[in-house]
């Protein structure tokens, strides 16, 4: 298929709408305990109950969910782990054994604080296998995009409406779009 602006905008609008779905629970990147890679294992995070209360899925093994959250809290800090679960509850379903090797790889590339911040911006990176972390520049840049698109479901809905209106406005595109003074897409 040929690349067209219409296809690009359609893909972008779908991405924005997909990204907006978990935003109802907020951005949640507050301060809190700063964790260090290789920190001593705690028996249980004091925020474990809060993380499990906000977990929307049923019929999952609470022991595995607890273990995954505790590993996340060990590597990123209690408050940060809870914030990531609020942003993306599915992180508790990810393979916790991948968390530390991934963080180690990203730490070698960016430093510990930048690696942790990248994952806090895009908790979906916790689902990445360690073998896929060798060149993580795109993940770093993508984490900023994901974080920028997350703050407000209202702004995301507005962008989605704008993009969908651009998609449906054939005159706008045949007149050259933005590059040729194609006029307002909402006329």
């Amino acid at each position: 298929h040929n690349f067209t602006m219409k296809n690009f905008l359609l893909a972008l609008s779908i991405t924005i709408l997909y990204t907006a779905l978990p935003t109802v629970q907020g951005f949640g990147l507050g301060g809190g305990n700063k964790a260090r890679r290789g920190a001593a294992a705690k028996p249980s995070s004091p925020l474990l109950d809060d993380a499990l209360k906000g977990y929307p899925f049923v019929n999952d093994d609470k022991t595995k969910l607890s273990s995954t959250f505790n590993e996340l809290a060990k590597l990123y800090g209690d408050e940060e782990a809870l914030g990531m679960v609020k942003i993306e509850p599915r992180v508790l379903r990810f393979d916790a054994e991948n968390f530390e090797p991934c963080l180690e790889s990203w730490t070698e590339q960016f430093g510990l604080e930048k690696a942790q911040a990248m994952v806090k911006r895009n908790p979906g990176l916790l689902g990445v296998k360690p073998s896929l972390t060798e060149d993580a520049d795109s993940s770093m840049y993508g984490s900023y995009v994901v974080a920028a698109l997350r703050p407000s479901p209202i702004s995301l809905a507005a962008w989605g409406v704008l993009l969908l209106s651009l998609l449906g406005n054939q005159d706008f595109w045949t007149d050259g779009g933005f590059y040729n003074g194609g006029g307002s897409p909402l006329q």
Side-chain angles (χ1 to χ4, degrees):
H1 296 313
N2 291 336
F3 173 80
T4 64
M5 184 58 79
K6 189 172 183 176
N7 290 342
F8 172 73
L9 290 175
L10 180 62
L12 183 60
S13 63
I14 290 169
T15 302
I16 288 172
L17 292 174
Y18 175 77
T19 304
L21 293 177
T23 63
V24 175
Q25 299 201 19
F27 201 41
L29 293 181
N33 299 342
K34 293 290 182 188
R36 288 189 309 268
R37 183 173 45 109
K42 295 186 254 178
S44 181
S45 168
L47 299 179
L48 175 62
D49 290 337
D50 293 334
L52 294 177
K53 282 179 197 171
Y55 186 73
F57 307 106
V58 294
N59 298 329
D60 283 344
D61 179 11
K62 297 291 184 194
T63 304
K64 181 185 181 312
L65 298 175
S66 299
S67 173
T68 300
F69 182 79
N70 286 327
E71 180 66 14
L72 195 57
K74 180 184 92 173
L75 296 171
Y76 293 93
D78 295 321
E79 292 288 334
E80 290 79 0
L82 181 60
M84 287 187 264
V85 170
K86 285 181 178 180
I87 291 170
E88 185 62 63
R90 290 177 287 185
V91 301
L92 294 180
R93 289 183 167 178
F94 294 159
D95 185 357
E97 292 189 15
N98 290 338
F99 294 174
E100 190 167 6
C102 287
L103 183 59
E104 287 176 357
S105 176
W106 292 323
T107 297
E108 289 174 15
Q109 295 173 62
F110 306 118
L112 179 61
E113 287 183 21
K114 288 182 180 180
Q116 287 176 325
M118 175 181 73
V119 176
K120 285 185 252 180
R121 285 188 297 273
N122 183 6
L125 291 171
L126 291 166
V128 172
K129 293 183 180 181
S131 61
L132 301 175
T133 62
E134 292 174 7
D135 183 18
D137 285 338
S138 62
S139 295
M140 178 62 82
Y141 297 125
S143 73
Y144 286 103
V145 172
V146 168
L149 294 175
R150 186 178 294 117
S152 165
I154 295 170
S155 66
L156 290 172
W159 278 106
V161 168
L162 174 66
L163 288 172
L164 291 174
S165 70
L166 288 174
L167 286 171
N169 191 336
Q170 187 65 33
D171 292 335
F172 177 77
W173 296 112
T174 57
D175 290 342
F178 294 109
Y179 298 110
N180 216 9
S184 170
L186 302 176
Q187 290 178 353

